[in-house]
């Protein structure tokens, strides 16, 4: 059975966040708003919970979820050998529409799927997501839709897609942003753009002038 909470109401928000914290601690999945869509989330360090999240996602390739963090200081706890340029991007655009692909700390006991030693880190800009993260710590995060299905922009759309596979739904109304997250591979000394989203090339280069941008991502097709 799943439990929806109207987080547009202050009392509903308090109850919903509290219920979501307990659900995450119990190894369950919750749904919450992050920028342009609603997402599935669970404790990033619970191997059974992440396995369940990947099963709900129904991705044959088991592509790893991102890991959402509550603070920039969490970066060093989860990522190894973070170059200064990558750290500068995090400081400039977190919380916000930027995902940084980093080398994962080898000592961490987790299983995010076929991550190949990397972890995609982000700090969501949605205040409800940040409030929950401040209580739970890092969360594995992926859109609340099976692979190949458009991400739901409201909580009802998420419920129609995943139903009772999720313990708690935090409904904060329609997703307030339209852009997805820009993805940057930050493992090298020169960061490399992987996907263009809400943070533009110009904004990235205002912080790190030599960000590597593949030509394909600058074409009309690549920028779409």
């Amino acid at each position: 059975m799943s439990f929806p909470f109207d987080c547009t109401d202050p009392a509903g928000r308090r109850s919903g966040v509290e219920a979501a914290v307990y659900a995450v601690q119990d190894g369950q999945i919750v749904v919450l708003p992050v920028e342009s869509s609603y997402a599935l989330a669970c404790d990033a360090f619970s191997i059974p919970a992440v396995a369940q999240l990947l099963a709900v996602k129904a991705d044959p390739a088991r592509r790893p979820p991102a890991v959402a963090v509550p603070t920039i200081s969490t970066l060093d706890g989860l990522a190894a050998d973070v170059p200064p340029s990558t750290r500068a991007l995090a400081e400039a655009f977190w919380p916000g529409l930027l995902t940084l692909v980093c080398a994962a700390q080898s000592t961490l006991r987790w299983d995010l799927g076929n991550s190949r030693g990397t972890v995609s880190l982000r700090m969501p800009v949605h205040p409800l997501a940040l409030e929950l993260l401040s209580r739970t710590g890092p969360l594995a995060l992926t859109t609340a839709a099976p692979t190949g299905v458009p991400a739901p922009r409201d909580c009802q759309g998420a419920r129609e897609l995943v139903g009772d596979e999720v313990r708690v739904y935090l409904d904060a109304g329609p997703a307030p942003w339209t852009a997805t997250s820009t993805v940057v591979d930050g493992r090298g000394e020169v960061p490399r753009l992987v996907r263009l989203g809400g943070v533009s090339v110009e904004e990235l280069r205002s912080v790190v002038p030599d960000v590597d941008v593949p030509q394909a991502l600058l074409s009309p097709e690549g920028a779409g």
Side-chain angles (χ1 to χ4, degrees):
M1 173 179 279
S2 61
F3 300 91
F5 292 87
D6 179 7
C7 295
T8 63
D9 171 73
R13 178 170 176 149
R14 286 192 297 271
S15 298
V17 170
E18 199 68 28
V21 169
Y22 284 123
V24 168
Q25 292 173 344
D26 194 37
Q28 302 296 320
I29 300 173
V30 302
V31 161
L32 70 161
V34 284
E35 292 91 48
S36 61
S37 68
Y38 275 69
L40 305 169
C42 70
D43 180 357
F45 295 100
S46 170
I47 292 175
V50 173
Q52 182 186 4
L53 181 144
L54 292 174
V56 173
K57 182 71 174 178
D59 181 1
R62 285 190 89 234
R63 280 170 288 202
V67 174
V69 298
T71 63
I72 292 177
S73 61
T74 315
L75 178 65
D76 290 308
L78 303 182
D81 303 318
V82 180
S85 56
T86 299
R87 193 181 307 279
L89 291 174
E91 291 172 349
F93 299 111
W94 281 3
L97 294 168
L98 178 67
T99 298
L100 294 170
V101 180
C102 300
Q105 286 282 4
S106 60
T107 56
L108 294 175
R109 299 187 64 184
W110 59 7
D111 183 0
L112 299 175
N114 296 330
S115 61
R116 299 180 181 178
T118 68
V119 60
S120 297
L121 298 173
R122 58 180 302 198
M123 188 190 303
V125 68
H126 199 293
L128 183 56
L130 288 173
E131 183 178 349
L132 180 60
L133 282 161
S134 72
R135 299 279 304 278
T136 63
L139 293 173
L141 197 71
T142 187
T143 55
T147 298
V149 177
R153 289 189 50 78
D154 57 38
C155 192
Q156 180 58 34
R159 293 187 69 188
E160 291 171 359
L161 288 170
V162 296
D164 286 340
E165 298 285 351
V166 168
R167 174 73 65 84
V168 171
Y169 286 87
L170 300 180
D171 186 352
W177 289 269
T178 56
T180 57
S181 180
T182 290
V183 180
V184 172
D185 187 337
R187 289 174 291 174
E189 291 301 322
V190 178
R192 186 174 190 272
L193 181 65
V194 175
R195 185 184 76 189
L196 194 55
V199 178
S200 69
V201 172
E202 291 74 16
E203 289 171 315
L204 294 173
R205 285 182 168 165
S206 71
V207 178
V208 181
D210 58 351
V211 167
D212 180 17
V213 180
Q215 188 60 38
L217 295 181
L218 294 176
S219 67
E221 294 80 5

